[in-house]
Amino acid sequence: LDMRISTTVSAGLSLEGDEFFGKLTKDYTADGKVLLPRGTIVHGIVDGMTDPKRMGRNGHIQMRFDYLITPDGREIPIEGQHTTQ
């Protein structure tokens, strides 16, 4: 999903279990009908974290997406994951 995260999620600041929010940046359609409109809120949880290492090596963040809230207030359960690794 194309989205913009509105909560700061950072390997040095966030903790496992922190929630975050984002918004879809485009409409998702099927058969000419909008299924998920732009502006739908995406909710997620930080699932795991690896802190940055020495010598400039990056940390990694694992995120889990669990539900969407459409602009008309419907809550839709989803399952999704993302990692920065």
Side-chain angles (χ1 to χ4, degrees), residues 8-85:
T8 300
V9 178
S10 171
L13 303 172
S14 301
L15 299 173
E16 189 172 328
D18 283 355
E19 67 179 355
F20 61 91
F21 295 90
K23 281 190 177 182
L24 297 184
T25 57
K26 69 177 192 176
D27 291 334
Y28 286 87
T29 61
D31 298 326
K33 296 180 183 179
V34 176
L35 300 177
L36 295 173
R38 181 177 44 161
T40 293
I41 295 171
V42 180
H43 178 266
I45 303 288
V46 176
D47 239 5
M49 185 83 51
T50 304
D51 289 331
K53 307 282 189 228
R54 295 182 296 165
M55 305 288 289
R57 293 183 296 172
N58 293 332
H60 302 288
I61 302 169
Q62 294 87 35
M63 297 178 278
R64 174 176 41 95
F65 302 100
D66 53 2
Y67 66 88
L68 305 171
I69 302 172
T70 61
D72 64 0
R74 291 179 297 138
E75 191 171 303
I76 303 168
I78 61 169
E79 291 183 21
Q81 297 179 27
H82 176 73
T83 183
T84 61
Q85 189 169 11

